[in-house]
Amino acid sequence: MRTDTPQTIYRKDYTPPSYWVDTVEMGFDLDPEATHVATRMTLRRNPDSPNRNLVLVGESLRLEQLRMNGKDLSKRQYALGRGTLEIFNPPDNVTLEIETVTHPAMNTSLMGLYVSNGNFFTQCEAEGFRKITYFPDRPDVMAKYTVMLRADKEKYPVLLSNGNLIEQGDIGDGRHYAVWEDPFKKPSYLFALVAGKLVCQEETYTLKSGREVLLQVWVEDGNLDKTQHAMDSLKNSIRWDEERFGLELDLDRFMIVAVSDFNMGAMENKGLNIFNTKFVLANPRIATDTDYAGIESVVGHEYFHNWTGNRVTCRDWFQLSLKEGLTVFRDQEFSADLIGTDSGRAVKRIEDVRVLRQAQFPEDAGPMAHPVRPDSYVEINNFYTVTIYEKGAEVVRMYQTLLGRDGFRKGMDLYFERHDGQAVECDDFRAAMADANGRDLKQFELWYSQAGTPRLKVDTEYDADAQTYAVTLTQSCPPTPGQAEKQPFHIPVAIGLLDARGKDMPLRLEGEQQDEAPATMVLELTEATQTFRFKQVTERPVPSVLRGFSAPVVLDIAYTDDELAFLMANDSDAFNRWEAGQRLAMRRMLALTGAVQNNQALSDAELEEGTLNDAFRAALNDEALDPAFRELALTLPSETVVAEQMDVIDPHAIHAVRRFLRRSLASSLRGDWMVAYQANRTPGTYSPDAIAAGKRALKNLALSYIVENDDADAHHLAQTQYDNANNMTDRIAALTALANSSAPGRADALNSFYEEFEQEALVVDKWFALQAMSRTTDVAAVRALMKHPAFTLKNPNRARSLIFSFCNGNPSQFHAVDGSGYQFWAEQVIALNAINPQVAARLARTLDRWRKYAPALQEKMHAALKKVAATKELSKDVLEVITKSISN
Ligand code: TRP
Ligand code: ZN
């Protein structure tokens, strides 16, 4: 908790550590009330450091003992400051012995050592190790760890830490011990231990090289029927990294542990990945297709960190995207490769871009906007953002787009050749990519240093006589906090030209030597504006620009409705087919929003004859398209995405319009929806594969449209699906449809669902979330749900399921004109702040776009922000978010 004004940390202030740590030996006497931690470490002076003193950091610790080179330190030899332990002028080689005490059962922050359902877990990234012992807790200090765990044998039969188990046994008094040794040097943020009553599914797995490794998935008793998918995902991950990047698992044993109290998705601790249960536990009864896909990608993500993050780590936390952007890119590619088909890859790409637009574009346009490699922070936990992760992944993807798959692989190989075992910077990754390919990527650095989403304007000119087609690309980037002026980026723009039949024209660029004329070409925009002239263009084309979303920019291009419908029907690039439909829908939604704001009535007739209706009907009925693709194409842009397109956000008008459009499409295409519903049933045994999941997605989208009609037939359809479903995907889709309707069975279904799944925490989360996001749920209803015995703010998943789902996922209710949603938000931020600052700060982000709203709402949001700001004992996590929201 804050006692003074929090300090801003600057990237430019980086200095190397004054001492390196070579070895760390730790002994834990695990006790929920008071755990004693004895640490012995050997350190060595760093000749490159200007500092003589050795500074260790510690937080919420009791220091019991401090010895240097075998002797107790006298009070004159060190100073215990606020969060620091400074030892004055130590010798060049030091052995430190430190004994500290922590209180795991009282630790609700879920950082450091804590207790969840009676078991011990740690979370050390980014700065949690300092809650376990005094240490130079920074990622460029890498050491070899040996860890002894001691605990009551009956209460804590399983004792795990990083690396290899080298010894275990009893120590009397009903206690036992285990010794773990991690053969690899690692930064402290990758340390982990787990102790408690857990069971595992295990398997030996043979690597390509023939070496055998032990794989384990650890869960609480009773959950062994939910580990198979995580295990399969792990094996797929191991194989994929061998095949795609030539990277082998470097340990003999690899463990995944599931914990129900967890701040984020999962954590890549060396050899001992710790996961939120949400990203491990699955069987058809409790998990949806989305859950299955999430597990696959998060298991992959954490596994891939073993090379991109652990073997090569970050010099400092400003370089976070070095590991996160790269590892997200790798997990995205992994999921895409596992689907295997071109259309499957496109579906995955669309889903990833949707996340970027829904969450990262707003961040980049708001008060917390920061570059992929930030220049400063107050609390590093606030910088585990969609910019670092998702935009960072887009930046990595652009290397591959510019260098080709093979060129990218060469760059990766060189990166590991140069930096294995090191803590490095984003610049080192860029240098490896450039050097391995003989390319100058100097300008590309701007993607790391400049915040904001670039705009890319496209102007075209066809010269029928000369048969040339000129494409002029113009870039700009809006100002962001602390960055008024921007330099032009190096932007790869993938482009194709469609002829009147909808076929790709061969591309020949004037002034270029080309062996062949490809259908898609990557133009490299490096200036503020540049013209690219295609030759031998025999007719006026329709351009398909930014194919596959080749750069994270906003594309400004003037299409007619007919051209968009044409692209949606014909583009060989599936991403741009989807994109064309979204543009068409967005255009309509913005026009209708304007109409609502002018008090005009929305008329069905106008829509039914519109291009949008025809284009959607065509896509829905196009059997040549994957169901998964059709589901994406027929989903209207979300309320958040529409909001970002408005100068002044009107959440109520947006909500009314989206609903109106959905109802119009529901009634005008009713027969088509019913056909799609019937055609995409998946009878028989449940399988989460992409084809079956795609069918269910389209069928359930059809159901949601059909239920927009809110009549007896629709209710019956939803109720029947709810009663007969053999998997959670169909179950929850039907329940969601019922919950958003006036069906007579609505309340019964909600009650029976709860009773059926009361014992499954992850399903209870879904139950809260679907109610929180239902359009009839207002603030009062959320407050009532908070009184439900199953609700608690202490479990992050549960808090997210109700509070976050309402504040972020139910805009029309949250933005109630009386400001009651904002008051509720402020109360919950304040309550969470006292329990778990990291989670509280995430919720605090909800209002950071407040300046974009109409004055009446703005005023009430500002009042809520000020209420939080005025709270005593705000964590620096929450304080940073609120301060930046108010001042930027
Ligand atoms: N490094 C983790 C990942 O990307 C995420 C992470 C960072 C995390 N800090 C955390 C997880 C704190 C839990 C708690 O996979
Ligand atoms: Zn990660």
Side-chain angles (χ1 to χ4, degrees), residues 123 125 262 264 266 268 301-302 323-324 384 389 838:
Q123 172 57 41
E125 186 178 6
F262 204 67
M264 306 234 243
E268 70 264 25
H301 181 96
E302 306 313 328
K323 74 176 176 81
E324 295 304 347
Y384 286 77
Y389 277 67
Q838 216 175 325

Side-chain angles (χ1 to χ4, degrees), residues 25 85 202 232 253 300 366 371 437 476 478 481 509 537 552 557-558 756 819:
E25 295 159 87
L85 167 57
E202 65 178 9
D232 290 343
R253 178 180 181 129
N437 290 281
S476 62
L509 215 46
V537 183
I557 180 167
E756 187 176 341

Side-chain angles (χ1 to χ4, degrees), residues 403 406-416 429 432-433 436-437:
L403 305 172
D406 293 345
F408 184 78
R409 171 65 195 270
K410 278 191 209 153
M412 288 286 279
D413 290 349
L414 185 59
Y415 176 63
F416 292 115
F429 185 78
M433 286 292 155
N437 290 281

Side-chain angles (χ1 to χ4, degrees), residues 1-33:
M1 289 299 153
R2 178 167 63 107
T3 45
D4 50 12
T5 320
Q7 208 194 325
T8 301
I9 319 286
Y10 295 93
R11 185 168 60 89
K12 64 174 169 45
D13 291 344
Y14 174 84
T15 52
S18 57
Y19 278 78
W20 300 111
V21 181
D22 290 317
T23 61
V24 181
E25 295 159 87
M26 304 183 85
F28 287 81
D29 284 298
L30 293 166
D31 181 323
E33 306 314 320

